[in-house]
Amino acid sequence: MLGKNAKLFFAVSVCILIAAIVLASWGFPKIVHKQIQKNLQLQNSSAMFEKWRELPVPLTFKIYVFNVTNADDVTDGAKPILNEIGPFVYKEYRVKRILGYGDNDTIRYMLQKTFYFDQEASGSLREDEEITVINYSYMAAILTVLDIMPAAVTLVNGALTSFFSNLTDPFLRVKAKDLFFDGIFLNCVGENAALSLVCGKIRLEKPTTMRPSENNDGFYFSMFSHLNTTESGPYDMKRGIENIHELGNIVAYNNMTTMSQWGDPYCGQLNGSDSSIFPPIEGNPPKRIYTYEPEICRSLYASLVDKRDIFNISAYYYEIDEMVLASKSANPGNKCFCKKDWSSSHDGCLLMGVLNLNPCKNVPAIVSLPHFYLASEELLEYFDGGISPDKEKHRSFAYLDATTGVVLKGTQRLQFNIELRNVNAIPQLEYVKTGLFPLLWIEEGAEISEELQQELHQSHKMLSYVESLRWAILGLAVILCIASAMCVSRAGGLNPWPRNHNSVSFILRPGNTFDINKSR
């Protein structure tokens, strides 16, 4: 009876061991994966949805301005000396308005950003700070005319003296708040026929940096007012319900699945997220993460550097590298971003570290990283001071939680530039040296709050408990199986021969008698 029970005990323990192996190798990971997916996917019941729809903490939006300290000398042909002023700090709130859901596991939404000046974070800087900067809109107008109809540049410049107040050189003396959000008034009232053409062209093309005045007698130029309280989109994004690895991928923007401005399928791709959400990494981090940036009509990427700890959380660290804005000789894939000349001697990709925005915004603006970080040293030679690339200050990066893919901390930095070109026929530009001139650079970033840090810590702790539990169950199953095997062995259930079948008993078994004294 004992032997039968021991055998039954052993059989049950073997079944338990098999079940434990299946649970440890497949069952528990599957359960954890499903739970993570349930919490991250974009549907009303998920833990992530409301945090994604309305960011629980504002982003920090910082603006650094390149103040020109020797404007008169630059007009006479000297190299520019710049003085960086900043940061002017704004709190950026983001709210998404859900429009509906698509058939292909997508969610459609509009994105609204709202900016508030943060005086405390800005320190001694005030919004009414007086600055001297390159006249961005004036140079854009001149370069556009030179590109389309060079012979008319003198006529148009005459009209622009009425359009801009006190146009004695290519620089603008202005309050910071007017340049950023409030707007600089540009006059359209006058008898000059060329002025009417300039204003008519603006009304027709409706550039984002120009908004009509209340009386329709001119425009207000500002760099960021079109971003403030105005919805952008619609965006179509993957929800991650059918495939969690597609979570956050933008598949269409403004009803377009490609950016046709570049005239090339590669450069026109919509890659990556809106930077607010990424799919879980699950120990297999992608070499690159992509974000789509509507303001420059393209996707940017950051490359995996290594694994690091931040906020006592294990994270994968990504950083932008020189290949993103590389010249076409260094990165042949970037050749389709070279659509129009941004200079008399360079196209948009000939130099490392610059991108021509003309195809995107229909203005001859050039984007780069701050202080021309990761760009050609040729760009630095134009200045006599004030430009100093620094990796720690000017890189763009992101820390992604190793388990969920949540952005723990991230910063994106971009600089806006325009060419200051020598034009003999224009008094304001007759003696200046030609070169790429920076206006300002922005830093947009955020890190999770302490409350969210604690929430992630608790989630990771629960996952560690689950991880310990699955191995504990497997260990107990192994011990149980060993114990049952020992019981069967002691009960004789595992002995291949009967105990009386040893060599001695065989010799002494009745009927097997031998006369040991018998002679051979």
Side-chain angles (χ1 to χ4, degrees), residues 276-401:
S276 65
I277 190 169
F278 292 91
I281 296 174
E282 300 175 342
N284 185 28
K287 293 182 179 179
R288 293 175 177 175
I289 56 172
Y290 289 82
T291 58
Y292 174 66
E293 304 298 336
E295 288 302 300
I296 61 174
C297 302
R298 67 162 290 187
S299 296
L300 298 175
Y301 64 81
S303 300
L304 177 64
V305 178
D306 54 27
K307 196 173 185 179
R308 303 180 182 181
D309 284 346
I310 183 172
F311 311 131
N312 292 320
I313 298 173
S314 180
Y316 288 103
Y317 174 70
Y318 288 83
E319 186 175 292
I320 196 167
D321 62 46
E322 61 184 2
M323 288 297 103
V324 177
L325 298 177
S327 64
K328 59 188 176 184
S329 58
N331 183 359
N334 280 349
K335 64 181 179 180
C336 44
F337 290 119
C338 310
K339 304 306 294 182
K340 290 187 177 182
D341 291 346
W342 62 263
S343 167
S344 57
S345 58
H346 298 114
D347 68 22
C349 296
L350 186 59
L351 291 180
M352 289 287 289
V354 298
L355 173 69
N356 187 354
L357 292 185
N358 207 332
C360 172
K361 296 297 183 182
N362 201 28
V363 291
I366 305 297
V367 72
S368 68
L369 299 181
H371 286 249
F372 301 113
Y373 171 60
L374 297 181
S376 171
E377 291 188 1
E378 178 183 324
L379 297 169
L380 310 181
E381 296 170 358
Y382 181 66
F383 305 94
D384 231 1
I387 297 294
S388 180
D390 186 315
K391 179 179 180 179
E392 291 304 311
K393 295 178 181 179
H394 305 139
R395 63 195 168 117
S396 296
F397 63 88
Y399 290 88
L400 267 59
D401 177 40

Side-chain angles (χ1 to χ4, degrees), residues 64-347:
Y64 297 81
V65 178
F66 289 102
N67 185 62
V68 185
T69 63
N70 64 335
D72 292 339
D73 294 336
V74 174
T75 304
D76 291 334
K79 285 187 174 183
I81 300 175
L82 307 179
N83 174 36
E84 181 181 277
I85 299 178
F88 296 87
V89 184
Y90 291 80
K91 291 181 178 179
E92 178 188 337
Y93 294 86
R94 291 188 175 189
V95 179
K96 299 177 178 73
R97 180 167 61 91
I98 309 303
L99 300 178
Y101 301 90
D103 296 331
N104 298 319
D105 192 28
T106 58
I107 184 170
R108 170 170 278 210
Y109 64 91
M110 301 292 290
L111 173 62
Q112 183 183 67
K113 301 179 182 180
T114 307
F115 299 85
Y116 295 98
F117 184 64
D118 189 339
Q119 183 61 73
E120 182 180 354
S122 300
S124 61
L125 291 175
R126 300 289 186 269
E127 279 195 293
D128 58 2
E129 194 89 16
E130 294 283 349
I131 53 178
T132 301
V133 294
I134 185 73
N135 195 329
Y136 196 78
S137 51
Y138 169 67
M139 287 309 307
I142 292 297
L143 294 173
T144 300
V145 173
L146 286 172
D147 182 44
I148 299 173
M149 194 181 300
V153 69
T154 305
L155 182 65
V156 171
N157 188 66
L160 293 177
T161 57
S162 300
F163 192 56
F164 296 95
S165 60
N166 195 27
L167 187 63
T168 58
D169 60 25
F171 300 103
L172 195 62
R173 285 83 178 169
V174 65
K175 291 181 179 180
K177 64 178 182 179
D178 293 335
L179 176 64
F180 302 158
F181 290 101
D182 288 1
I184 303 159
F185 180 70
L186 305 174
N187 175 57
C188 281
V189 176
E191 300 299 327
N192 193 312
L195 178 62
S196 299
L197 289 174
V198 169
C199 292
K201 188 175 187 298
I202 294 173
R203 290 190 183 97
L204 180 65
E205 296 185 352
K206 298 178 181 179
T208 56
T209 53
M210 297 280 193
R211 74 175 189 274
S213 63
E214 297 80 2
N215 300 325
N216 205 30
D217 58 352
F219 297 91
Y220 285 95
F221 166 80
S222 63
M223 289 296 293
F224 308 115
S225 64
H226 65 285
L227 300 178
N228 194 18
T229 69
T230 304
E231 288 186 325
S232 63
Y235 295 79
D236 290 279
M237 174 186 281
K238 287 286 188 178
R239 301 169 65 195
I241 296 175
E242 295 179 1
N243 184 351
I244 191 63
H245 298 293
E246 293 182 346
L247 173 67
N249 286 347
I250 301 291
V251 296
Y253 173 75
N254 199 18
N255 301 314
M256 296 185 296
T257 57
T258 60
M259 295 293 98
S260 58
Q261 295 93 328
W262 304 109
D264 184 271
Y266 176 79
C267 288
Q269 290 182 86
L270 285 176
N271 287 338
S273 78
D274 63 355
S275 77
S276 65
I277 190 169
F278 292 91
I281 296 174
E282 300 175 342
N284 185 28
K287 293 182 179 179
R288 293 175 177 175
I289 56 172
Y290 289 82
T291 58
Y292 174 66
E293 304 298 336
E295 288 302 300
I296 61 174
C297 302
R298 67 162 290 187
S299 296
L300 298 175
Y301 64 81
S303 300
L304 177 64
V305 178
D306 54 27
K307 196 173 185 179
R308 303 180 182 181
D309 284 346
I310 183 172
F311 311 131
N312 292 320
I313 298 173
S314 180
Y316 288 103
Y317 174 70
Y318 288 83
E319 186 175 292
I320 196 167
D321 62 46
E322 61 184 2
M323 288 297 103
V324 177
L325 298 177
S327 64
K328 59 188 176 184
S329 58
N331 183 359
N334 280 349
K335 64 181 179 180
C336 44
F337 290 119
C338 310
K339 304 306 294 182
K340 290 187 177 182
D341 291 346
W342 62 263
S343 167
S344 57
S345 58
H346 298 114
D347 68 22

Side-chain angles (χ1 to χ4, degrees), residues 394-434:
H394 305 139
R395 63 195 168 117
S396 296
F397 63 88
Y399 290 88
L400 267 59
D401 177 40
T403 302
T404 64
V406 170
V407 180
L408 304 176
K409 182 177 182 179
T411 297
Q412 181 168 286
R413 297 168 170 133
L414 286 176
Q415 178 173 300
F416 295 91
N417 318 274
I418 198 160
E419 185 189 15
L420 177 60
R421 186 181 297 185
N422 179 276
V423 183
N424 292 330
I426 297 178
Q428 295 89 341
L429 304 174
E430 186 176 3
Y431 300 108
V432 299
K433 291 183 181 295
T434 296

